[in-house]
Amino acid sequence: HPIVDCRHMHMDRDSVKLIAEILASGKCPSHVSIYCWGKNLGDTGAALIAQALQSGQCPTHLTLYLWNNHFGEAGAKRLSQALKHCPVVNQFGPRGAAAFAEALQHSKAPEHLFINFWDNDFAAEGAAHIGSALASGNCPPHLALVLG
């Protein structure tokens, strides 16, 4: 599986925009993983990534590692809206977890969706929303969650 490792790179808005453009190009190989955690991408970065995910051109079995990027509620909502196109999640608090849980239950999330909730701050309230989504029976087949 191809891996793009941005963990040791300086990332600015132009870097995130370039990654988003590549994802939306339709030319990425399937099963690609992009490691881009701890880059402080914020809501602007979340919006760029969400726009790429909504293009419908993302590779199959895409895995984005985006934790510790300080996405706020607005970024979480943008990423949650993009869920029906590709899998992604990050640190976004209880209300962001609620938006994500809602999208997970009521969208056409892809099979084999992989979501890494590591280092998130959605507390018990957010965990309850995720739990309700899982209990609904409406989550995608072969869903994998990491809750560490």
Side-chain angles (χ1 to χ4, degrees), residues 71-121:
F71 296 156
E73 183 179 341
K77 285 182 179 177
R78 287 292 307 267
L79 291 170
S80 296
Q81 291 166 353
L83 176 64
K84 61 186 166 193
H85 302 283
C86 292
V88 65
V89 75
N90 204 311
Q91 179 175 340
F92 46 71
R95 293 195 312 192
F100 174 78
E102 180 72 16
L104 186 62
Q105 293 177 78
H106 300 293
S107 69
K108 294 183 172 137
E111 287 189 26
H112 300 281
L113 178 65
F114 174 82
I115 304 166
N116 191 324
F117 282 106
W118 186 82
D119 196 25
N120 280 278
D121 186 24

Side-chain angles (χ1 to χ4, degrees), residues 107-147:
S107 69
K108 294 183 172 137
E111 287 189 26
H112 300 281
L113 178 65
F114 174 82
I115 304 166
N116 191 324
F117 282 106
W118 186 82
D119 196 25
N120 280 278
D121 186 24
F122 51 67
E125 178 186 345
H129 291 297
I130 300 299
S132 293
L134 295 173
S136 74
N138 295 325
C139 292
H142 311 290
L143 174 66
L145 300 177
V146 176
L147 301 171

Side-chain angles (χ1 to χ4, degrees), residues 60-73:
T60 58
H61 299 280
L62 169 66
T63 303
L64 296 173
Y65 293 90
L66 297 172
W67 60 78
N68 198 22
N69 273 301
H70 307 287
F71 296 156
E73 183 179 341

Side-chain angles (χ1 to χ4, degrees), residues 35-58:
Y35 298 125
C36 196
W37 62 77
K39 295 297 173 188
N40 197 26
L41 303 178
D43 289 341
T44 301
L48 289 167
I49 293 167
Q51 183 178 355
L53 298 177
Q54 289 174 321
S55 73
Q57 297 298 311
C58 291

